[in-house]
Amino acid sequence: MNRLALRRAATQSLALGAVLAAGLATASDYRNFSIGAGFTPDPQTGTGTTGGARDASQAFGGQCSGSVDTTPDHVITVTSAVNLKLYTTSTTDSTLVMRGPSGTFCDDDSRGELDAEINAVLRPGRYEVYVGHLGQTGQYTLTLTENVGGTGPGPGGDGSIEAYRDFTLGAGFTPDPQRSRGETGGSRDARSFGKACVGTIDTSPDHRLTVTSALNLKIFVESTTDSTLVVVGPNRTWCDDDSHGDLDAEISGMFSPGQYQIFVGTNGNQNGNYTITLTEQ
């Protein structure tokens, strides 16, 4: 039976079961979502059939597992930075892949009972979601809910800190320090900015810094992974891997007035949450 036939056959039973299970939102097969910070209703759900003909590890990297479809089961359009929990409830050993501007996220059993869960701070953009399986095909309900108050333990989990914010700073700026948070990594090789740069970064900057007067600035990252930093300015590019200790990155120096782009990367296969701090020296 092909995928379309499976979808049609599953629609009636899945829709009713998902509504009863979720209780707070109406589920529908292979639906797409448009969400942002404070989205309503919360949670939102969709349903479908797991798996497909594609090996997730070959398509998305060795950290991913299971078989997935060749096209996404759901598309999430994020309209403003949101701290999202995404999880499956299924009749099989389900897996999850989510790919978009904040990176590629994969999971197998974090939800328990062989179900998958992803927690991530997502910047605005388009995200593709694939619901796979290990073993037999099964039916699933996919749930989206906002993580209010952070992603959990570890750096970057403080929901009171604005995600992916931009900064305008000059000598004697207040408050000092200033912070933001986000998700490390991306699909771009940091060496595109020079051989001294390491790790993978996003194709667009995580933060933009406007310096209004000459400033002796320290920028450092505290993260749940091996973080890297790239700062691109009008006259030079700074790169760092472990100068802050505990596999975190730090850049210090005199910043002349101008516009700067800040990329927070990861040196390895695993993305993580981070908090970035800017303080005057």
Side-chain angles (χ1 to χ4, degrees):
M1 185 180 293
N2 61 31
R3 188 59 177 267
L4 180 58
L6 283 171
R7 292 182 179 183
R8 288 173 175 170
T11 298
Q12 291 183 340
S13 60
L14 280 173
L16 177 59
V19 169
L20 293 174
L24 296 176
T26 300
S28 60
D29 268 14
Y30 305 103
R31 66 170 289 197
N32 296 327
F33 304 88
S34 181
I35 61 171
F39 68 86
T40 57
D42 183 352
Q44 296 189 25
T45 58
T47 54
T49 302
T50 64
R54 192 180 192 187
D55 186 329
S57 65
Q58 294 182 3
F60 301 106
Q63 74 276 21
C64 305
S65 59
S67 60
V68 297
D69 210 347
T70 54
T71 57
D73 299 299
H74 310 271
V75 172
I76 303 174
T77 300
V78 176
T79 58
S80 62
V82 62
N83 191 346
L84 185 67
K85 177 185 290 186
L86 181 76
Y87 63 88
T88 57
T89 305
S90 71
T91 60
T92 188
D93 185 355
S94 61
T95 65
L96 264 178
V97 177
M98 179 171 63
R99 179 176 65 176
S102 294
T104 299
F105 307 86
C106 302
D107 187 66
D108 180 12
D109 295 330
S110 293
R111 183 68 184 172
E113 303 294 335
L114 301 182
D115 283 321
E117 179 177 316
I118 292 171
N119 290 270
V121 178
L122 303 181
R123 72 186 67 182
R126 181 182 187 272
Y127 293 81
E128 297 179 344
V129 177
Y130 301 80
V131 183
H133 63 249
L134 290 167
Q136 289 186 320
T137 297
Q139 298 175 351
Y140 71 83
T141 297
L142 179 74
T143 301
L144 286 70
T145 185
E146 189 172 14
N147 273 314
V148 178
T151 58
D158 186 351
S160 65
I161 300 176
E162 181 183 352
Y164 301 108
R165 64 167 291 198
D166 296 333
F167 304 89
T168 299
L169 306 176
F173 69 84
T174 58
D176 183 354
Q178 295 199 19
R179 294 186 173 92
S180 187
R181 60 185 172 89
E183 182 87 15
T184 63
S187 60
R188 184 181 188 180
D189 190 330
R191 289 177 295 180
S192 61
F193 288 109
K195 293 181 180 179
C197 305
V198 297
T200 55
I201 58 175
D202 210 343
T203 54
S204 57
D206 299 296
H207 312 275
R208 299 180 189 273
L209 167 64
T210 301
V211 175
T212 58
S213 60
L215 180 62
N216 190 359
L217 188 64
K218 177 191 290 186
I219 304 173
F220 62 87
V221 175
E222 296 169 294
S223 71
T224 60
T225 188
D226 186 355
S227 65
T228 66
L229 260 179
V230 177
V231 179
V232 182
N235 300 314
R236 64 172 291 186
T237 297
W238 291 265
C239 299
D240 186 69
D241 183 10
D242 296 330
S243 292
H244 195 64
D246 293 325
L247 301 181
D248 282 322
E250 178 181 314
I251 290 171
S252 298
M254 289 298 302
F255 284 68
S256 57
Q259 303 291 322
Y260 296 81
Q261 298 179 338
I262 301 174
F263 301 82
V264 184
T266 185
N267 193 8
N269 295 324
Q270 191 170 19
N271 292 341
N273 299 317
Y274 72 83
T275 298
I276 188 169
T277 300
L278 288 74
T279 184
E280 189 172 15
Q281 297 190 105

